[in-house]
Amino acid sequence: MRWRSPLAGLAIIAGLVLYVVAVVTLAELVPDHVLAETLYYVVTGIVWIWPAVSVIGWARKDDGSQQG
Protein backbone atom coordinates (compact mmCIF):
# COMPACT_ATOMS: atom_id res chain seq x y z
CA MET A 1 0.00 0.00 0.00
CA ARG A 2 1.32 3.39 -0.89
CA TRP A 3 2.07 5.69 2.02
CA ARG A 4 0.33 8.68 0.47
CA SER A 5 -3.18 7.21 0.59
CA PRO A 6 -3.46 6.77 4.37
CA LEU A 7 -1.70 10.08 4.95
CA ALA A 8 -4.10 11.86 2.58
CA GLY A 9 -7.08 10.23 4.27
CA LEU A 10 -5.95 11.41 7.69
CA ALA A 11 -5.20 14.89 6.32
CA ILE A 12 -8.66 15.18 4.76
CA ILE A 13 -10.40 14.02 7.94
CA ALA A 14 -8.36 16.35 10.17
CA GLY A 15 -8.77 19.22 7.73
CA LEU A 16 -12.52 18.77 7.52
CA VAL A 17 -12.86 18.69 11.30
CA LEU A 18 -10.91 21.94 11.59
CA TYR A 19 -12.87 23.44 8.70
CA VAL A 20 -16.22 22.58 10.29
CA VAL A 21 -15.13 24.12 13.59
CA ALA A 22 -14.07 27.29 11.77
CA VAL A 23 -17.29 27.46 9.72
CA VAL A 24 -19.50 27.03 12.77
CA THR A 25 -17.47 29.56 14.77
CA LEU A 26 -17.59 32.15 11.99
CA ALA A 27 -21.31 31.54 11.48
CA GLU A 28 -21.94 33.74 14.51
CA LEU A 29 -20.74 36.71 12.42
CA VAL A 30 -23.29 36.09 9.67
CA PRO A 31 -26.32 38.41 9.86
CA ASP A 32 -29.48 36.80 11.19
CA HIS A 33 -31.20 36.69 7.82
CA VAL A 34 -32.32 33.58 5.94
CA LEU A 35 -30.69 34.59 2.65
CA ALA A 36 -27.37 35.52 4.28
CA GLU A 37 -27.24 32.27 6.25
CA THR A 38 -28.19 30.20 3.21
CA LEU A 39 -25.54 31.86 1.06
CA TYR A 40 -22.92 31.41 3.81
CA TYR A 41 -23.61 27.70 4.22
CA VAL A 42 -23.82 27.04 0.47
CA VAL A 43 -20.48 28.76 -0.14
CA THR A 44 -18.74 27.14 2.82
CA GLY A 45 -20.26 23.80 1.88
CA ILE A 46 -18.61 24.00 -1.54
CA VAL A 47 -15.27 25.66 -0.72
CA TRP A 48 -13.82 22.61 1.06
CA ILE A 49 -13.95 20.58 -2.16
CA TRP A 50 -10.96 22.30 -3.82
CA PRO A 51 -8.40 21.53 -1.07
CA ALA A 52 -9.75 17.98 -0.77
CA VAL A 53 -9.37 17.42 -4.52
CA SER A 54 -5.79 18.71 -4.31
CA VAL A 55 -4.96 16.30 -1.50
CA ILE A 56 -6.56 13.40 -3.36
CA GLY A 57 -4.63 14.32 -6.51
CA TRP A 58 -1.41 14.39 -4.51
CA ALA A 59 -2.20 10.96 -3.04
CA ARG A 60 -2.78 9.49 -6.51
CA LYS A 61 0.66 10.53 -7.81
CA ASP A 62 3.16 7.80 -8.29
CA ASP A 63 5.39 7.56 -5.24
CA GLY A 64 8.32 6.29 -7.30
CA SER A 65 7.76 2.57 -6.93
CA GLN A 66 7.66 0.50 -10.10
CA GLN A 67 4.97 -2.12 -10.46
CA GLY A 68 5.32 -5.00 -12.92
Side-chain angles (χ1 to χ4, degrees):
M1 179 168 63
R2 297 185 327 194
W3 62 272
R4 290 185 185 202
S5 296
L7 183 61
L10 290 174
I12 289 174
I13 291 170
L16 281 176
V17 167
L18 293 173
Y19 184 72
V20 167
V21 169
V23 166
V24 170
T25 302
L26 292 174
E28 297 174 2
L29 302 176
V30 177
D32 191 22
H33 187 271
V34 175
L35 183 59
E37 291 175 349
T38 301
L39 184 61
Y40 175 76
Y41 284 111
V42 167
V43 170
T44 57
I46 293 172
V47 167
W48 69 270
I49 294 172
W50 285 287
V53 167
S54 297
V55 172
I56 291 168
W58 173 80
R60 291 184 53 139
K61 288 183 183 176
D62 185 21
D63 62 352
S65 63
Q66 297 292 331
Q67 294 180 349

